[in-house]
Amino acid sequence: MDCLRISGGVPLRGRVAVSGSKNAALPIMAASILASGPVSLARVPDLADVNTLALLLGYLGVEVKRGANSQMRIETVDATPIKADYELVRRMRASFCVLGPLLARRGRAVVSLPGGCKIGTRPVDLHLAGLAALGASIRIEHGYVIAEAKRLRGAQIDLCGPCGPTVTGTANVMCAATLARGKTVITSAAVEPEVVDLGRFLISLGANISGLGTSVIEIVGVEQLAASDYTIIADRIEAGTLLIAAAITGGEISVEGVVVEHMTAVLNALEESGCHILRGHQQITLLATARPRPVHICAQPYPGIPTDLQAQFMALVSLANGQSTIRDQVFPERFMQVAELNRLGARIERSGSTAIVRGVRRLSGATVTACDLRASAALVLAGLAAQRETIVRRLYHLDRGYERLDLKLARLGANVTRQVEADALDMAELGSVPALPVV
Ligand code: EPZ
C-alpha cells in the first residue's frame, strides 16, 4: 500500500503534458462491446480504473491488449458472457457503463448494482428508466440488474434528475439506442466533453447520432456497428488539478495537450483567485504571484465548475486572504476532504451543502488519509503548500484516476516521494487488480 511523502513550500515550475481522459476512456472502452470488429484506441491513460474495466471486459469475452504509448486494442472474442460481477462493479461504478452496450449487442445483460459511494447517494434510476423506455424488460434480483430485449426500439427519453442530467446515464442510453430500431431522442442529455467524445467514438463505429454537446441528442438506430481507430480527449480534470497545484504553491507552469475550451469555468475561477492565465493552442500557462484571493465556487454540470475539481479548489482557498464558500450542486454531500484539510491547519466548516472556508496564512504538514479519488488530490495539493512534511496515506485512491501524478509533480520541482506502507487493514480492503500486460 503506497503513501506519498511531501515536503511542501516549493513553487512548481515547468511544462507538463496531460494524459487522456479517464471519464471518456471508461465509457468508450465499455462501448467497444458494440463493435463487430477490432477497436484501436490511442491516449488511454494508465490507471487502476482502466485496468479494472479491462478485467471486467475480459470476463465478458472482450480481449483488451495494451500497446506502447497509451495504445489499446479491444476485440470481442466470445459474445456469450453477459454478467458483470459485483466484485468488479463494487470497485468501480463506471463498470455499470457495460449495461447499455451489452443489452443492445447481446440482447441480455446481468449487471451488479454499483452499491454505496462515499461522494453521495448515486442511484441509477435514470439509466434503468431510459433502457426500459427503449423496450427492455428490467428487473432487479439479488443485487443485480437483469435487462432483456430481443431488439430495442427508438423512444423519447428525458434524463434529468434532481441534481441535473446524468453523465453515465446518457452514455448507457446513447450506446443502447445506436442499435435500436428507429429514432431515439434524449432530452436533458448531459453535455460534458466526455459524453461528446463517446458520441464521436460511436459515430466512428458507424452510429447515426446528432446533437452531441447539446441537451437534445438524436440517435437513429443502425443494424450493425463496425470497427474503429479513435483517440481519447485530454483529461480536463487532471489539467485543472495540475493548474491548481501551481496556484497553491505560487508557481508558474504550462499544461500541454489540453482542450482549452473545456476549461473556461475553471480558468475564470483561477483568474478570480488572482492567477495570471495565458490561453494558447492546446496549452495553458498559469502564473501565481500572490496569496490567493477568496472565491465563491459552485460546482455544476458542464460548462460549470466540475464537481471533480471542487475539493482541489477548496484546498486552494484554504490559503486565501479572506473567506470563501464552496457549494456542490451535483453531489451536495461531497465534502469528505474537509476533516483531513482541517488536520493540515485549514479552517473549514460545513453549513448544509455549503462549506465556509476561512483562509489561513499557512498550512502545517501532517499525516492524512485519502478516502476517495478527488479528495486525495486535494490533500496532495495542500501538502505541496504546507510547511514541513505531509504524508498522504491510501494513495490507491489517487492512482485510480491520475496517471502517476507524483512523477508529474516531481518533474515540476515538487519534493514528493512515493513509499510502500504496509497496513494489513488497507491490504484486505483493496484486494489486487493486476496491471495490464503491455504487448
Ligand atoms: C460521472 O459520474 C463521473 N464519472 C464522475 O466523476 C463525475 O463526478 C460525475 O459524472 C458528474 O460530473 C465517470 O464519468 C466515470 P451523474 P456519474 O450520473 O455519471 C444523480 C471522478 O471523480 N443521478 O452525472 O455517475 C446523481 O446522484 C468521478 O472521476 C440520479 O439521480 O454521475 C448525481 O447527484 C466521480 N439518478 C447527479 O445525478 C441516476 O440514475 C449526477 O450524477 C443517475 C444520477
Side-chain angles (χ1 to χ4, degrees):
M1 173 71 41
D2 289 4
C3 69
L4 197 63
R5 305 183 83 103
I6 308 168
S7 291
V10 181
L12 300 188
R13 298 200 189 289
R15 321 176 76 80
V16 58
V18 167
S19 303
S21 162
K22 167 182 84 81
N23 289 346
L26 296 174
I28 287 175
M29 287 171 67
S32 302
I33 291 171
L34 294 163
S36 58
V39 164
S40 295
L41 298 177
R43 212 177 183 183
V44 180
D46 184 9
L47 306 170
D49 277 6
V50 166
N51 297 339
T52 302
L53 189 57
L55 194 61
L56 173 59
L57 290 174
Y59 287 121
L60 291 168
V62 181
E63 196 177 63
V64 180
K65 287 190 184 138
R66 217 189 230 289
N69 307 326
S70 309
Q71 301 277 329
M72 182 179 276
R73 185 183 159 79
I74 303 178
E75 186 162 15
T76 296
V77 291
D78 173 7
T80 50
I82 51 155
K83 185 172 182 190
D85 197 82
Y86 172 66
E87 278 314 316
L88 282 171
V89 177
R90 78 176 180 82
R91 256 179 229 185
M92 183 191 62
R93 295 180 64 82
S95 312
F96 202 67
C97 288
V98 299
L99 178 60
L102 272 179
L103 175 62
R105 184 90 170 91
R106 300 185 186 177
R108 191 161 190 272
V110 179
V111 176
S112 169
L113 279 168
C117 176
K118 293 194 187 88
I119 73 175
T121 53
R122 297 177 72 179
V124 291
D125 55 321
L126 295 167
H127 300 234
L128 303 184
L131 298 175
L134 291 172
S137 81
I138 306 258
R139 62 185 198 278
I140 296 178
E141 278 175 18
H142 311 300
Y144 282 81
V145 175
I146 300 165
E148 286 172 298
K150 280 208 177 45
R151 173 105 196 251
L152 296 166
R153 60 173 189 277
Q156 285 273 146
I157 300 164
D158 189 83
L159 286 180
C160 192
C163 301
T166 163
V167 171
T168 51
T170 304
N172 254 328
V173 172
M174 181 164 65
C175 284
T178 56
L179 293 177
R181 194 189 307 282
K183 186 160 108 170
T184 296
V185 180
I186 303 176
T187 52
S188 313
V191 299
E192 271 65 8
E194 295 76 24
V195 171
V196 174
D197 206 33
L198 170 64
R200 290 190 179 136
F201 167 69
L202 293 169
I203 290 171
S204 77
L205 286 176
N208 180 342
I209 304 177
S210 56
L212 290 170
T214 76
S215 61
V216 180
I217 298 178
E218 295 196 0
I219 305 121
V220 178
V222 295
E223 292 303 319
Q224 185 174 300
L225 293 171
S228 165
D229 286 8
Y230 194 80
T231 301
I232 309 270
I233 55 170
D235 195 315
R236 63 193 170 103
I237 305 299
E238 183 201 17
T241 303
L242 289 163
L243 289 168
I244 297 173
I248 204 170
T249 58
E252 176 176 5
I253 69 166
S254 292
V255 175
E256 297 170 334
V258 285
V259 182
V260 179
E261 300 70 47
H262 292 168
M263 310 284 300
T264 306
V266 174
L267 300 181
N268 292 349
L270 283 166
E271 281 172 329
E272 231 181 289
S273 78
C275 296
H276 307 280
I277 303 270
L278 208 57
R279 295 161 176 80
H281 175 61
Q282 298 188 351
Q283 178 180 303
I284 298 166
T285 300
L286 179 145
L287 168 62
T289 53
R291 191 176 165 192
R293 290 201 291 260
V295 285
H296 301 289
I297 298 273
C298 180
Q300 293 168 314
Y302 188 83
I305 297 254
T307 169
D308 298 341
L309 282 174
Q310 175 255 98
Q312 297 90 320
F313 270 111
M314 187 182 282
L316 176 66
V317 297
S318 69
L319 284 162
N321 57 354
Q323 179 168 311
S324 307
T325 57
I326 306 253
R327 257 174 356 101
D328 196 321
Q329 272 183 4
V330 180
F331 295 110
E333 302 301 319
R334 191 179 192 173
F335 289 119
M336 283 72 53
Q337 67 279 6
V338 170
E340 295 300 298
L341 285 174
N342 283 345
R343 279 182 50 69
L344 292 166
R347 290 178 53 207
I348 307 168
E349 278 167 35
R350 281 280 307 277
S351 150
S353 65
T354 301
I356 295 154
V357 187
R358 291 186 183 79
V360 296
R361 271 197 174 283
R362 62 187 64 75
L363 296 174
S364 58
T367 300
V368 289
T369 303
C371 53
D372 85 276
L373 167 58
R374 307 304 174 182
S376 60
L379 299 179
V380 170
L381 297 193
L384 291 172
Q387 292 189 319
R388 294 213 293 280
E389 186 174 60
T390 295
I391 299 175
V392 180
R393 303 183 58 236
R394 297 191 181 173
L395 212 58
Y396 61 85
H397 286 292
L398 194 78
D399 294 335
R400 289 191 51 186
Y402 291 96
E403 190 171 45
R404 294 311 303 266
L405 183 65
D406 52 323
L407 292 182
K408 290 191 179 185
L409 292 171
R411 278 193 221 116
L412 294 170
N415 193 338
V416 291
T417 322
R418 180 182 281 256
Q419 203 169 36
V420 177
E421 184 192 25
D423 180 317
L425 177 66
D426 286 342
M427 300 303 264
E429 183 186 307
L430 184 63
S432 62
V433 178
L436 276 184
V438 174
V439 290

